[in-house]
Amino acid sequence: DIQMTQSPSSLSASVGDRVTITCRASQSISSYLNWYQQKPGKAPKLLIYAASSLQSGVPSRFSGSGSGTDFTLTISSLQPEDFATYYCQQSYSTPATFGPGTKVDIK
Amino acid sequence: QVTLKESGPVLVKPTETLTLTCTVSGFSLSNARMGVSWIRQPPGKALEWLAHIFSNDEKSYSTSLKSRLTISKDTSKSQVVLTMTNMDPVDTATYYCARIAHQPPGTTTAYYYYYMDVWGKGTTVTVSS
C-alpha cells in the first residue's frame, strides 16, 4: 500500500495568513493526489483533485501543486471559514489511502 | 442534485456483522466509470478508506480489512451495500459513503483521475455489548 504523510500535523494561523500544508507519498504517484477539507461534525469536502485542479465552487485562495512524491496545499489568505482539518488522498493505486490530516486552528 | 445517504444500525455487538447501505440520487450507478467508496472515521481520528465499487462491478478493499469486508451494489435500487463481519469496539466510527468522479488523463499521465466529489453526511456506528 502507498503510505501518505502530512506535515505539519497541526498549525495555528491568523486570518489573512498564507498557509502551506505538505503531503508526501511513499512512492511516486504522479499527479494522482486529492485534497479534502473537513470541519468538526461534518463530512469531508473535496477541494483539489489531480494535484492542482480546483473543484467547482471552491474559492480560488485554495491551490495545489506537486507531482511524484511531494505535494502542497496552499491557502493564500486564510479566512475564518478555513479553520478545519485537511487531508490528502492518493488515487494512483488501490487501496486508496489518506494522509493523517493537518488541523488548522486560530492563533 | 447529487446526494448520498448512509443508513444502518447505530449500535452493534462485538462479533456481529454490520450492514450499511448507501442510497444515491442524482446519478446512476450504471454510468460509465462511476463508483462509490466507503470511508470511516473513528472518533477524533483520521479518515480511513474501506472499499469501493464501480459501475463495471470492479471492487477493491482496504488491505487490513479485506477479509472482513464485502461491497456490492443494486443498480435498480440505487444502493451500495457494505458488510463488515466480526465487529469489534475499535470499529466504532462514523461511516461515510462518497461518489467517485473521474477526469480523463492528461497529456503526460496514463490513467483516469478519480476523486470523491460528493459525500454523504455519515452514519455513526458504536460497537458495544
Side-chain angles (χ1 to χ4, degrees):
Chain A
D1 296 5
I2 297 175
Q3 306 303 317
M4 308 299 294
T5 58
Q6 289 181 234
S7 61
S9 56
S10 64
L11 65 90
S12 295
S14 301
V15 173
D17 283 354
R18 181 180 181 89
V19 170
T20 299
I21 298 168
T22 297
C23 175
R24 177 165 289 174
S26 60
Q27 66 182 73
S28 177
I29 57 171
S30 183
S31 55
Y32 294 89
L33 191 282
N34 307 315
W35 289 98
Y36 302 86
Q37 175 195 64
Q38 188 181 33
K39 297 180 180 178
K42 300 294 187 181
K45 172 187 173 183
L46 177 68
L47 298 176
I48 301 282
Y49 63 93
S52 61
S53 294
L54 192 67
Q55 171 67 352
S56 176
V58 174
S60 59
R61 62 181 179 273
F62 290 92
S63 64
S65 64
S67 183
T69 60
D70 295 323
F71 302 86
T72 299
L73 174 69
T74 299
I75 309 172
S76 60
S77 177
L78 197 66
Q79 298 301 300
E81 60 268 30
D82 301 337
F83 292 97
T85 300
Y86 295 84
Y87 294 92
C88 60
Q89 176 246 328
Q90 65 83 16
S91 62
Y92 179 78
S93 67
T94 55
T97 42
F98 286 93
T102 295
K103 184 176 181 180
V104 177
D105 61 21
I106 301 172
K107 180 183 281 185
Chain B
Q1 181 189 6
V2 173
T3 64
L4 299 93
K5 186 173 183 179
E6 305 90 348
S7 59
V10 173
L11 179 67
V12 298
K13 291 181 168 56
T15 75
E16 288 186 341
T17 294
L18 171 69
T19 299
L20 296 172
T21 301
C22 177
T23 302
V24 310
S25 63
F27 70 100
S28 172
L29 294 174
S30 64
N31 288 357
R33 297 188 180 276
M34 193 62 67
V36 170
S37 284
W38 282 97
I39 306 99
R40 72 177 180 179
Q41 185 172 39
K45 296 190 177 181
L47 301 169
E48 179 183 16
W49 180 86
L50 299 177
H52 72 218
I53 187 166
F54 280 91
S55 53
N56 62 358
D57 216 36
E58 175 199 335
K59 305 168 187 174
S60 183
Y61 297 99
S62 160
T63 300
S64 61
L65 295 169
K66 186 172 186 175
S67 63
R68 298 172 54 204
L69 294 173
T70 302
I71 192 169
S72 62
K73 63 180 173 68
D74 185 331
T75 303
S76 65
K77 294 183 177 179
S78 295
Q79 291 181 334
V80 174
V81 175
L82 182 76
T83 62
M84 181 181 294
T85 61
N86 195 24
M87 293 292 285
D88 183 272
V90 300
D91 297 313
T92 294
T94 297
Y95 287 76
Y96 297 99
C97 60
R99 185 180 76 163
I100 306 171
H102 64 273
Q103 285 286 326
T107 55
T108 60
T109 52
Y111 309 118
Y112 271 71
Y113 293 99
Y114 292 100
Y115 44 92
M116 292 171 273
D117 69 333
V118 183
W119 293 60
K121 293 184 177 180
T123 185
T124 299
V125 179
T126 300
V127 184
S128 175
S129 54

